[in-house]
């Protein structure tokens, strides 16, 4: 078996909003990588045995008291290092260069010009000696560190890319990981594949092969239970584990009444019907509605839904003899963000429903075969495993389901209205060709009524809001410019076909300052 973790890039995070993007770009070049905080211990760095290291950007200044730094020995490890933005300034300062506040800060688009200095990092990056790049910095390198040469510049940053080819140290002031640097992936590829010598072993087929072997080694002859939600992550986890251990997998599908229209039937048809997976369907709608009665706080709703799911799941797990493992669809961003919340290096905007282990009283070990994967990688292996394209590429759906797409108290009546309105919205997006252009689209139920007129009569019914966003990383997002004619058709259908709705609105808020979900 090929060791798909043999080549690996270590990314040290200094707090940049783009750090996860760096990791995704490395993975897109079929190289495994991991994100760790900048203060990762030197012994841990050595034990990781990286093929190369990338230092991320960050909001601090390197000359500030207490500014984030790395272990002194890092630059002597003998592996290639790429510094990005703050990482470039840190590298420069370490080797005796000078970093000062820029006379003119650079945020946004800039044109990078190449100097007549050969070097492998920029092979194929420039067109006629120039390239569009994305800047986000208030400091710059004023005095070049000893042993380094300048490779490229912009009008406002005379030292914008530097290198020490002999020591295999490279640094750029701009952000190659963002989409606003169109050729950025070429630079990342040059670093991880050419300079670091990584072979590109991280492919969907080899990830699946590796996961199957690991699952079999981990589980042996034990029975495994998985909570199947119908979402992408749990669905791919179920398909992967089933391929590894077959009938040792027992899936529990808890129908909590907070799912999309006909979702329960679709889950059963795909897994129990087509794939032969053991699936127990539990109708728990009344229990969830009762538990949520009178609750309006979003975090309380999340916790109630999560805790009740665990209770019901435990009831079903006890019926499976010799069950020793609980499988979850935890993915890498869940792990990163939850770790950040625990260490104080990131803000916990909302709680994750599937990270943090198990209650002490559940005597099951945790099986998380997707724990190393980003969402796009999960989708890729889902298709490789034969799951339906529409299931694998459906838009994200929150763990608490419609419970956090109904503002305030959750009622069965509200769920039915929202389910039907959302089904019409999504159906129209597929029909008009917008669905695949949108990163996430959904309907929100507003617990307020407005006056309307239908026929010759006055109505007093509920309002729903339509949400559609475009994003590459879900950390920032812009609202999708839906054509007016399509909005009019969607609104008309919802009001005519969904009893209880007489007004439809369209959310044109970006993230930030808004979030993508309303709760």
């Amino acid at each position: 078996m090929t060791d798909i973790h043999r080549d690996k890039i270590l990314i040290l995070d200094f707090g940049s909003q783009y750090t996860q993007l760096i990791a995704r770009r490395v993975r897109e070049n079929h190289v495994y990588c991991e994100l760790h905080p900048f203060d990762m211990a030197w012994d841990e760095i050595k034990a990781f045995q990286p093929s190369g290291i990338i230092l991320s950007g960050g909001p601090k200044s390197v000359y500030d008291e207490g500014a984030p730094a790395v272990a002194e020995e890092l630059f002597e490890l003998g592996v290639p290092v790429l510094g990005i933005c703050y990482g470039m300034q840190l590298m420069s300062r370490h080797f005796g260069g000078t970093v000062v506040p820029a006379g003119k800060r650079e945020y946004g688009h800039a044109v990078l010009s190449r100097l007549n200095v050969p070097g492998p990092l920029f092979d194929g990056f420039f067109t006629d000696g120039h390239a569009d790049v994305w800047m986000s910095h208030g400091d710059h390198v004023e005095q070049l560190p000893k042993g380094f040469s300048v490779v490229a510049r912009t009008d406002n940053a005379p030292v914008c890319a530097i290198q020490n080819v002999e020591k295999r140290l490279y640094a750029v002031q701009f952000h190659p990981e963002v989409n606003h640097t169109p050729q950025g992936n070429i630079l990342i590829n040059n670093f991880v594949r050419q300079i670091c010598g990584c072979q590109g072993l991280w492919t969907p087929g080899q990830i699946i092969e590796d996961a199957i072997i690991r699952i079999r080694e981990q589980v042996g002859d034990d029975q495994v239970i998985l909570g199947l939600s119908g979402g992408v992550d749990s669905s791919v986890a179920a398909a992967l584990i089933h391929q590894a251990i077959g009938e040792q997998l027992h899936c529990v599908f808890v129908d909590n009444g907070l799912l999309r229209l006909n979702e329960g039937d679709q889950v059963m048809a795909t897994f129990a019907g087509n794939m032969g997976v053991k699936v127990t369907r539990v109708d728990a709608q009344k229990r969830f509605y009762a538990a949520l009665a009178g609750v309006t706080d979003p975090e309380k709703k999340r916790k109630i839904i999560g805790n009740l799911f665990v209770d019901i799941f435990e009831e079903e797990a006890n019926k499976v003899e010799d069950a020793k493992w609980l499988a979850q669809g935890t993915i890498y961003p869940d792990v990163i963000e939850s770790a950040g919340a625990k260490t104080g290096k990131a803000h916990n905007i909302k709680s994750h429903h599937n990270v943090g282990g198990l209650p002490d009283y559940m005597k099951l070990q945790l099986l998380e075969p997707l724990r190393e994967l980003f969402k796009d990688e999960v989708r890729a292996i889902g298709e490789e495993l034969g799951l339906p394209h529409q299931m694998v590429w459906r838009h994200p759906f929150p763990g608490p389901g419609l419970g956090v797409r109904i503002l305030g108290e959750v009622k069965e009546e509200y769920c039915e209205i929202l389910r039907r309105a959302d089904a019409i919205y999504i159906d129209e997006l597929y029909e008009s060709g917008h669905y695949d252009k949108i990163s996430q689209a959904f309907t929100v139920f507003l617990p307020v009524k407005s006056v309307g007129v239908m026929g010759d009569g006055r109505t007093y019914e509920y309002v729903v809001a339509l949400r559609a966003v475009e994003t590459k990383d879900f950390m920032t997002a812009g609202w999708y410019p839906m054509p007016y004619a399509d909005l009019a058709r969607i609104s008309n259908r919802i009001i005519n076909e969904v009893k209880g709705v007489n007004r439809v609105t369209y959310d044109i808020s970006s993230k930030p300052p808004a979030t993508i979900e309303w709760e």
Side-chain angles (χ1 to χ4, degrees):
M1 181 188 76
T2 302
D3 180 6
I4 61 175
H5 300 87
R6 185 182 68 206
D7 297 337
K8 52 196 174 190
I9 300 296
L10 172 62
I11 302 169
L12 296 180
D13 181 16
F14 290 88
S16 169
Q17 61 180 318
Y18 304 130
T19 305
Q20 283 196 36
L21 282 183
I22 300 172
R24 289 179 62 194
R25 295 292 172 262
V26 173
R27 298 280 188 91
E28 286 170 7
N29 288 287
H30 306 302
V31 175
Y32 179 69
C33 64
E34 287 186 15
L35 278 172
H36 289 275
F38 67 87
D39 54 1
M40 183 180 186
W42 172 238
D43 288 346
E44 293 176 356
I45 292 173
K46 285 194 298 182
F48 186 79
Q49 296 183 317
S51 305
I53 298 172
I54 298 178
L55 309 177
S56 84
K60 302 289 187 180
S61 294
V62 293
Y63 47 76
D64 287 345
E65 185 177 349
V70 294
E72 286 289 321
E73 304 93 336
L74 181 139
F75 293 107
E76 308 305 322
L77 187 60
V79 301
V81 181
L82 171 63
I84 295 174
C85 198
Y86 183 92
M88 172 179 172
Q89 296 162 13
L90 184 73
M91 183 186 296
S92 298
R93 191 173 171 88
H94 176 85
F95 286 99
T98 304
V99 179
V100 299
K104 183 177 180 182
R105 297 182 300 174
E106 278 190 304
Y107 294 98
H109 171 264
V111 176
L112 187 70
S113 299
R114 181 165 194 168
L115 304 180
N116 189 26
V117 178
L121 186 64
F122 287 101
D123 285 350
F125 182 84
F126 291 96
T127 302
D128 296 327
H130 301 283
D132 293 323
V133 297
W134 188 259
M135 292 288 203
S136 181
H137 70 102
D139 298 331
H140 69 191
V141 177
E142 182 179 60
Q143 182 178 333
L144 197 64
K146 185 178 179 180
F148 284 75
S149 56
V150 181
V151 182
R153 58 168 294 155
T154 68
D155 288 343
N156 293 320
V159 181
C160 198
I162 62 175
Q163 65 181 19
N164 182 324
V165 176
E166 182 182 353
K167 290 190 173 183
R168 297 190 294 174
L169 302 175
Y170 301 85
V172 295
Q173 186 59 68
F174 60 92
H175 288 273
E177 69 273 25
V178 303
N179 286 294
H180 297 295
T181 300
Q183 301 287 80
N185 199 44
I186 293 176
L187 187 149
I188 299 292
N189 180 279
N190 287 341
F191 180 72
V192 300
R193 299 294 293 273
Q194 308 305 322
I195 296 171
C196 297
C198 299
Q199 294 184 29
L201 306 174
W202 192 255
T203 63
Q206 296 201 104
I207 292 171
I208 292 171
E209 180 184 345
D210 179 81
I212 288 173
I213 291 171
R214 289 171 181 268
I215 291 167
R216 288 172 179 168
E217 289 176 348
Q218 196 172 356
V219 170
D221 296 327
D222 297 339
Q223 303 297 302
V224 178
I225 303 172
L226 182 144
L228 188 60
S229 69
V232 175
D233 302 334
S234 71
S235 296
V236 173
L240 181 60
I241 296 168
H242 182 256
Q243 185 156 323
I245 59 174
E247 293 195 354
Q248 291 170 244
L249 174 66
H250 304 261
C251 292
V252 177
F253 174 57
V254 178
D255 190 343
N256 58 13
L258 306 173
L259 304 174
R260 291 165 282 201
L261 189 67
N262 301 323
E263 189 163 21
D265 295 337
Q266 292 166 2
V267 168
M268 295 302 293
T270 298
F271 288 94
N274 297 337
M275 297 177 63
V277 179
K278 291 180 183 176
V279 185
T280 299
R281 183 174 184 174
V282 183
D283 185 355
Q285 297 184 44
K286 298 299 182 184
R287 289 178 66 176
F288 278 89
Y289 294 147
L292 290 166
V295 180
T296 59
D297 180 78
E299 273 300 294
K300 288 182 180 178
K301 288 194 292 184
R302 286 177 181 273
K303 286 181 171 61
I304 288 170
I305 294 166
N307 291 338
L308 183 53
F309 174 85
V310 170
D311 291 344
I312 295 171
F313 190 85
E314 185 184 18
E315 293 168 11
E316 294 302 318
N318 289 334
K319 300 175 185 178
V320 179
E321 293 185 9
D322 301 322
K324 295 183 180 179
W325 296 88
L326 173 64
Q328 288 188 330
T330 307
I331 64 174
Y332 196 38
D334 299 335
V335 176
I336 295 168
E337 290 165 19
S338 291
K342 291 173 185 174
T343 60
K345 290 186 171 67
H347 292 289
N348 190 15
I349 305 301
K350 59 185 179 183
S351 60
H352 284 284
H353 64 283
N354 61 343
V355 180
L358 307 174
D360 293 337
Y361 57 80
M362 288 189 74
K363 305 302 180 183
L364 296 171
Q365 299 177 76
L366 204 55
L367 179 65
E368 297 174 311
L370 309 181
R371 190 179 177 87
E372 294 181 335
L373 304 179
F374 285 100
K375 177 72 80 173
D376 50 346
E377 296 173 313
V378 173
R379 295 186 196 278
I381 71 169
E383 287 208 283
E384 189 99 359
L385 289 164
L387 288 175
H389 178 84
Q390 192 163 324
M391 172 181 281
V392 170
W393 289 97
R394 74 193 314 180
H395 293 169
F397 189 63
L402 302 184
V404 291
R405 289 181 177 173
I406 293 170
L407 300 194
E409 184 180 7
V410 176
K411 297 182 180 180
E412 185 173 4
E413 172 198 2
Y414 297 169
C415 288
E416 286 303 314
I417 291 172
L418 179 55
R419 242 189 295 275
R420 297 187 180 282
D422 190 66
I424 290 170
Y425 181 32
I426 299 304
D427 178 64
E428 285 292 333
L429 293 181
Y430 274 118
E431 189 67 27
S432 59
H434 291 296
Y435 189 86
D436 289 334
K437 301 174 185 176
I438 294 169
S439 304
Q440 189 170 357
F442 55 91
T443 311
V444 178
F445 178 89
L446 309 183
V448 293
K449 288 186 173 183
S450 70
V451 174
V453 177
M454 290 188 181
D456 295 322
R458 174 185 180 276
T459 63
Y460 190 55
E461 294 178 335
Y462 292 106
V463 181
V464 296
L466 308 179
R467 181 73 158 142
V469 298
E470 296 176 296
T471 178
K472 294 294 182 182
D473 52 25
F474 289 90
M475 292 181 285
T476 61
W479 59 276
Y480 182 76
M482 192 81 68
Y484 294 156
D486 293 324
L487 282 174
R489 185 174 60 256
I490 294 166
S491 174
N492 188 56
R493 277 197 62 190
I494 290 174
I495 290 172
N496 284 337
E497 299 176 32
V498 181
K499 186 176 180 181
V501 176
N502 71 355
R503 195 175 297 269
V504 176
T505 66
Y506 190 62
D507 182 351
I508 57 170
S509 309
S510 295
K511 176 187 178 181
T515 55
I516 295 176
E517 296 281 352
W518 281 41
E519 287 193 343

